[in-house]
Amino acid sequence: MSSDSPTSGFVAFVGAGPGDPNLLTLRAAELLAKADAVVLADEAHRPLLRHCREGVEVVEDDLIKRAKHGQLVVRLCEGDPMLFSSITEEVAACAAAEVDFEIVPGVPPATAVLTYAGIPAASGVPEFRVVDAAQEQDWAVHAACRGTLVIYNGIGDAVAIGKALIAGGKPDTTPVAVSSGGTTTEQYTVVSSLGRLQPDLKHAGFTEPALIVVGEAVGLRDKLSWFETKPLFGWRVLVPRTKEQSRSLSEQLVAYGAVPEEVPTISVEPPRTPQQMDRAIKGLVTGRYEWVAFTSANAVKAVREKFEEYGLDARAFAGLKVAAVGDATARALVEFGVKPDLLPSGEQSSEGLVAEWPPYDSMLDPINRVLLPRADISTDTLVAGLTELGWECDDVTAYRTVRAAPPPAPIREAIKGGGFDAVLFTSSSTVRNLVGIAGKPHNVTVIAVIGPQTAKTAEEFGLRVDVMADKPSASALAAAVAEYGAKQRQAALAAGDTPRRPSQNRRGARRRAR
């Protein structure tokens, strides 16, 4: 059928891919965006609903009935719908009922999981064979495979399959890789040989879905592995920030292989009385100030919202000099349409800003006032420094930071019980608030802080600081944790040990080789 949606309803059988939600095809995402109802093949596919419009129904059946009532129904299928899939009867039922349907291929695990495991599926070999162990197989025939053999649904009989392949003529030294949780941060691969499958898999704890890969291509994994060797691969990282602030940080952590968990510890709210901000915005427009200094992205957001309230935009900053305490604040200003005139070249803090702030000069500066729209709990460092330089400061409360509600019980238990591999503290208040609402992180958890002041606060709460950013930015903090993770991994490998996540070192954690 054509790619244009028909006027009547239809059913789309859509390949959900191998596990990584980012491996969905463009056509699949397009159909999900238009869907009236979605049938999930597995709860693991629930993240794909982010492509759907608000109000989409998640249903279990009635595909044909819904389509006949004019709905577009997307039936998500494991991997590729036409590879070892059980949808044939459902497709035939649509055809028999004269309901239009479409089948959208998905990225199959047979190739994707191997790629993520660093195993070239069919490079330099004459054959790439995929079999389903759930169906009766003649393993003697498969033993003759002259390339790479990929086995679906065989984890429960892996040892027996290995013995059958050896009996069929495969050398017992033939390399084998077993991989579960493919293409996700739960991916876990054990490399063995046909003759050693029993001892090597004894304590591995594999469950389906998993793939068994047999062939010389497995031997290239040491050189080509790129996914499971990411510096924070599989690390569960707690990001105690506001939702708006944590988005880019979480994206960076995902790029390092981590699984970030955003737990708001601070809620940003307007000032209790708005009059002070109202006067400040009026003064900004009427020329009361020479400078405006922003010490956080939240301050930029607060001023921007006030501007919108009064029908103003970034043009009101014309003739004003604008300072930003750091890169994140500067980005928020640029998004607002304001380019900062002053940004610390060294330490991104109030001290760093004061160090580069020009002293007041009555010959050069027609006005000696500086507007500081800040949080209600800000320190006086900036005000004191600017006052010493001859400036007069209007220190205005632009927003309040209050402690957020406690996270759900499973999160609190993971924090105190060592379920997290690392926690990233981006300010002293995130330390105080996290401990206040959820308790102290377990001693196996890596504690990472954004700077010396945050480190001091963490130590006051009895926390051991393992990582500190080389400059006070969230991006630098994430990079520092990734560097720490990479060094820990390299040290384990150099000692002949299996790299382990910090949470795997707590008492009772399941031990398994990677």
Side-chain angles (χ1 to χ4, degrees), residues 66-97:
R66 287 173 178 276
K68 285 198 168 185
H69 279 86
Q71 288 192 347
L72 163 54
V73 184
V74 170
R75 159 76 155 91
L76 287 172
C77 310
E78 297 279 358
D80 185 303
M82 300 299 273
L83 184 64
F84 300 143
S85 173
S86 58
I87 66 160
T88 310
E89 291 181 6
E90 293 177 55
V91 174
C94 287

Side-chain angles (χ1 to χ4, degrees), residues 117-166:
I119 301 170
S123 177
V125 294
E127 186 177 2
F128 177 63
R129 189 181 300 188
V130 185
V131 299
D132 182 4
Q135 302 177 43
E136 189 174 341
Q137 299 290 343
D138 184 345
W139 295 109
V141 170
H142 297 313
C145 175
R146 296 184 301 147
T148 304
L149 174 65
V150 176
I151 303 167
Y152 275 55
N153 301 315
I155 193 62
D157 298 313
V159 174
I161 290 170
K163 289 178 179 178
L165 289 170
I166 293 170

Side-chain angles (χ1 to χ4, degrees), residues 260-424:
E261 187 103 39
E262 298 171 2
V263 176
T265 58
I266 299 171
S267 178
V268 176
E269 298 183 3
R272 284 194 176 89
T273 54
Q275 290 84 351
Q276 195 183 26
M277 266 292 279
D278 291 337
R279 286 195 298 271
I281 299 301
K282 183 179 179 182
L284 189 151
V285 174
T286 56
R288 175 178 170 82
Y289 303 108
E290 178 80 3
W291 282 90
V292 182
F294 290 96
T295 56
S296 71
N298 281 325
V300 178
K301 183 172 180 279
V303 170
R304 187 171 184 171
E305 286 172 353
K306 272 292 177 185
F307 268 39
E308 290 168 357
E309 193 179 311
Y310 287 116
L312 301 169
D313 57 30
R315 288 174 293 185
F317 281 93
L320 277 164
K321 294 172 187 172
V322 179
V325 77
D327 294 333
T329 306
R331 281 194 297 272
L333 280 166
V334 170
E335 287 172 13
F336 187 15
V338 179
K339 185 180 179 182
D341 300 284
L342 180 64
L343 187 68
S345 56
E347 183 182 337
Q348 297 193 348
S349 64
S350 295
E351 291 86 348
L353 196 57
V354 169
E356 299 189 32
W357 199 288
Y360 172 67
D361 187 330
S362 58
M363 299 293 290
L364 299 174
D365 303 306
I367 306 166
N368 75 332
R369 284 193 191 88
V370 179
L371 173 61
L372 298 176
R374 301 195 295 161
D376 57 333
I377 56 171
S378 296
T379 61
D380 295 328
T381 306
L382 188 55
V383 174
L386 294 182
T387 302
E388 199 170 312
L389 289 168
W391 296 94
E392 185 179 314
C393 298
D394 279 5
D395 195 10
V396 174
T397 299
Y399 62 95
R400 291 184 300 127
T401 54
V402 299
R403 184 177 289 179
I411 299 291
R412 299 199 303 273
E413 289 162 11
I415 291 170
K416 290 183 283 190
F420 283 100
D421 296 289
V423 55
L424 275 55

Side-chain angles (χ1 to χ4, degrees), residues 462-481:
L463 299 175
R464 177 201 67 250
V465 174
D466 302 292
V467 178
M468 186 162 69
D470 57 5
K471 62 177 183 178
S473 75
S475 177
L477 179 57
V481 176

